[in-house]
Amino acid sequence: KLCEGILNILEKDTKTSCQVACLEALRILSRDKKVLVPVTTKRNMQILMRLAKVDTAGDPLERVSEFPVIVEALKCLCNIIFNSAVAQKLSLELNLAAMLCNLLEKCKDQEFVGDIKCFDLRLLFLLSLLHTDIRSQLRQELQGVQVLTQALESSLSVRWTEEYKAAEDLDRPPLSLQETDCAIEALKALFNVTLDSWNVHSENESHQFRYMAAILRHCLLTTGPTEDKTEELHSNAINLLSNVPVSCLDVLISPSSQEETDIKYNGMNMGAIQILLDFMEKRIDKGSSYREGLTPVLSLLTECCRTHRNIRKFIKAQVLPPLRDVSNRPEVGTTVRNKLVRLMTHVDLGVKQIAAEFLFVLCKERVDSLLKYTGYGNAAGLLAARGLLAGGRGEHWYSDDEDTDTEEYKSAKPNINLITGHLEEPMPNPMDEMTEEQKEYEAMKLVNMFDKLSRDELIKPMGVRPDGTMAPLEEAVSQYHTNKQDSSDSD
């Protein structure tokens, strides 16, 4: 009854202060799904859309006194659409997404509209999240990628020095809270709209994604008002970068000019890549929510390294520097390499796979190089999944530059335990003091134990086929015998 009474008042032309008070009350009520039935009708949704100024296509936003009403109406629509499936369907019927895009255009180059823009973007995010048809409409009919990218660009106040390269002002103050919130909402909406964008079909699409990637590079080099807000901003930028086709990610690095003091490698500015690495390590150190917090940045870095040689070489120099001290196991220590190797045996299968894949790509998908840095025990899961237990390398092609081992590693190499991946002192051979009969007795005892475990089906003996995949032991042995016979010369 209260909701219906409020909407009846809002339908009439009342004072601004009265409208704001009614909308504030409705916003609080709209958090409760049980009271939304009277609100989610076509008439009442249109009342709120009129107050939010989204149903007036041509009228500019001129009366600043109306701005609080617009903001509160947008907040109410956010709550209602989030909590009601009926409201989501009505939004599609009333073409709300197109009207919100028009409102964004009105906010361009306009003062005092930060809150309006922010909640407009939040509403677009919610619509694209909750209704796939609206997502398709934004992408195909409303040029949503272009509209939202421009909104992101204006929130970050990007200044261009050349195509796909934004000006880097090292003395620039952090973004305000309002600018950061607007940028975050734009990033979230863009993420939904650009899902399934792996394949670029036209030159125009390629330009659009490169332009977006250049803005995201600027976003990574920008800080927010607090450390938490900066992390949230960067996290959403990384999520969106994961949707950008990998061929367009070369704009994350650019030729470094003389006056720039940022991190350089091979004449390229690697500032954004360093931010990604620091973000990854910070998420590892956090120690929780790896699937949501860590896998997007690891996946992004893996694809960048697989496709762009300069990025791979820069990251490898930091994550897998030439080995010198091999006295500790690869998973023991505080370096980024140690932390990533620990993740290779994580209980979460997705986390384990992406961490191993990242290191494998840094090693140019060469098994011998991966084993050198991680040990066979840590890498076994990846190698078994990829059918590489017999050695070799992955299917992807990499440049021919070779790793050079340090003198310390070369001298220690003969004594490195291949399973654990570290230097071990030679252990005394327990069989040295045993007679031949004792050796035979211990060997048969071991055989009988394995045989019993196998017959009771507690374990299943496996072997490695010639192609590097695993198979039951009998099958693997028979394949080796077959291959040997086929390859032997006959008189």
Side-chain angles (χ1 to χ4, degrees):
K1 283 182 181 178
L2 182 55
C3 284
E4 286 174 334
I6 288 170
L7 285 160
N8 287 334
I9 295 169
L10 289 171
E11 195 175 15
K12 303 165 189 171
D13 286 328
T14 56
K15 289 191 296 182
T16 300
S17 58
C18 178
Q19 288 179 331
V20 171
C22 287
L23 287 166
E24 284 175 345
L26 184 62
R27 169 166 55 85
I28 294 165
L29 290 165
S30 64
R31 295 171 188 164
D32 185 349
K33 294 181 182 182
K34 295 172 186 174
V35 303
L36 286 177
V37 176
V39 182
T40 52
T41 64
K42 195 169 184 178
R43 166 187 166 268
N44 290 337
M45 289 283 285
Q46 285 174 324
I47 291 170
L48 291 172
M49 287 165 63
R50 177 177 58 80
L51 292 168
K53 296 293 183 187
V54 295
D55 65 339
T56 52
D59 298 344
L61 296 173
E62 290 178 342
R63 294 173 61 185
V64 179
S65 60
E66 291 180 343
F67 287 3
V69 176
I70 298 171
V71 172
E72 283 301 325
L74 286 170
K75 287 179 182 178
C76 287
L77 284 168
C78 285
N79 282 357
I80 292 162
I81 286 167
F82 180 70
N83 285 316
S84 169
V86 177
Q88 291 158 27
K89 288 179 184 175
L90 278 171
S91 301
L92 188 61
E93 188 182 326
L94 295 167
N95 205 18
L96 179 57
M99 295 178 182
L100 289 168
C101 288
N102 286 331
L103 183 59
L104 264 185
E105 288 292 322
K106 292 182 201 174
C107 290
K108 200 186 289 182
D109 304 322
Q110 189 93 1
E111 289 185 33
F112 314 117
V113 292
D115 283 339
I116 296 174
K117 183 179 171 183
C118 189
F119 287 104
D120 185 323
L121 288 166
R122 182 170 297 177
L123 198 43
L124 279 170
F125 159 67
L126 288 170
L127 288 170
S128 57
L129 173 72
L130 298 166
H131 211 298
T132 52
D133 289 341
I134 293 177
R135 190 184 304 165
S136 302
Q137 184 192 17
L138 277 165
R139 185 166 56 236
Q140 293 163 11
E141 297 171 28
L142 302 173
Q143 294 183 313
V145 175
Q146 189 175 340
V147 170
L148 291 166
T149 304
Q150 287 172 351
L152 175 63
E153 182 184 350
S154 66
S155 299
L156 297 169
S157 306
V158 180
R159 291 185 300 105
W160 298 102
T161 55
E162 54 189 88
E163 190 178 34
Y164 309 136
K165 187 173 181 181
E168 292 180 31
D169 185 0
L170 300 176
D171 299 323
R172 185 187 167 195
L175 294 176
S176 69
L177 182 60
Q178 191 180 71
E179 288 170 331
T180 309
D181 284 339
C182 274
I184 288 169
E185 296 301 334
L187 289 167
K188 283 154 60 177
L190 270 169
F191 176 82
N192 291 338
V193 176
T194 57
L195 277 171
D196 310 319
S197 300
W198 289 100
N199 295 319
V200 175
H201 300 292
S202 68
E203 193 174 320
N204 184 48
E205 275 187 322
S206 177
H207 164 73
Q208 189 66 53
F209 280 114
R210 282 175 180 276
Y211 174 61
M212 186 194 298
I215 295 171
L216 292 173
R217 178 182 182 275
H218 178 79
C219 187
L220 289 173
L221 297 170
T222 302
T223 55
T226 65
E227 192 175 335
D228 287 345
K229 274 292 174 187
T230 301
E231 187 175 343
E232 187 182 353
L233 179 70
H234 290 175
S235 177
N236 283 288
I238 288 164
N239 290 342
L240 181 52
L241 276 169
S242 301
N243 286 353
V244 175
V246 72
S247 59
C248 301
L249 291 176
D250 55 340
V251 299
L252 289 178
I253 58 176
S254 60
S256 182
S257 57
Q258 291 298 318
E259 64 273 10
E260 287 176 345
T261 56
D262 281 323
I263 297 148
K264 302 173 188 176
Y265 182 84
N266 243 4
M268 307 298 282
N269 185 329
M270 292 286 179
I273 305 300
Q274 185 62 55
I275 297 284
L276 292 175
L277 277 172
D278 294 341
F279 183 90
M280 176 196 74
E281 188 172 6
K282 191 174 181 180
R283 284 294 168 94
I284 294 174
D285 292 342
K286 198 173 181 181
S288 61
S289 304
Y290 281 152
R291 184 173 281 273
E292 299 81 17
L294 178 62
T295 53
V297 67
L298 266 179
S299 180
L300 174 64
L301 287 171
T302 302
E303 290 306 315
C304 285
C305 292
R306 186 175 272 129
T307 311
H308 302 291
R309 179 171 176 261
N310 274 325
I311 294 177
R312 175 176 54 79
K313 293 186 77 175
F314 171 74
I315 291 176
K316 186 177 181 184
Q318 296 197 57
V319 176
L320 298 178
L323 286 176
R324 298 183 186 281
D325 181 11
V326 285
S327 58
N328 290 323
R329 289 171 177 255
E331 65 270 25
V332 175
T334 57
T335 66
V336 184
R337 167 184 162 238
N338 302 142
K339 294 170 184 177
L340 285 165
V341 173
R342 284 198 287 274
L343 289 178
M344 292 176 79
T345 52
H346 195 270
V347 291
D348 188 308
L349 187 62
V351 174
K352 178 168 72 173
Q353 285 176 338
I354 192 60
E357 187 77 13
F358 176 53
L359 291 173
F360 194 41
V361 168
L362 287 183
C363 295
K364 297 188 288 188
E365 299 192 18
R366 282 173 32 211
V367 172
D368 57 341
S369 181
L370 180 70
L371 296 181
K372 181 173 84 173
Y373 287 105
T374 68
Y376 197 90
N378 292 311
L382 172 79
L383 300 181
R386 297 283 292 265
L388 292 168
L389 286 168
R393 64 185 305 166
E395 297 173 359
H396 199 78
W397 181 87
Y398 293 86
S399 57
D400 291 332
D401 53 307
E402 292 298 326
D403 297 325
T404 52
D405 291 334
T406 61
E407 290 301 320
E408 294 93 328
Y409 178 78
K410 286 178 182 176
S411 61
K413 190 175 180 180
N415 297 318
I416 291 176
N417 183 325
L418 295 177
I419 303 298
T420 61
H422 81 299
L423 187 65
E424 289 185 352
E425 292 297 324
M427 299 288 287
N429 188 346
M431 298 179 73
D432 284 346
E433 298 178 3
M434 293 170 68
T435 64
E436 291 301 319
E437 290 79 7
Q438 285 175 316
K439 290 177 186 177
E440 188 174 344
Y441 171 78
E442 291 295 337
M444 289 309 299
K445 183 178 172 184
L446 190 61
V447 168
N448 290 332
M449 287 166 64
F450 274 114
D451 183 53
K452 186 176 187 306
L453 288 169
S454 179
R455 278 188 283 104
D456 293 344
E457 295 187 352
L458 293 171
I459 64 167
K460 187 172 186 179
M462 303 290 283
V464 180
R465 294 192 188 104
D467 64 359
T469 57
M470 294 190 74
L473 190 59
E474 302 85 355
E475 184 186 329
V477 170
S478 67
Q479 282 199 17
Y480 269 108
H481 284 315
T482 306
N483 282 5
K484 196 171 181 182
Q485 287 170 8
D486 292 344
S487 63
S488 63
D489 295 328
S490 58
D491 294 332

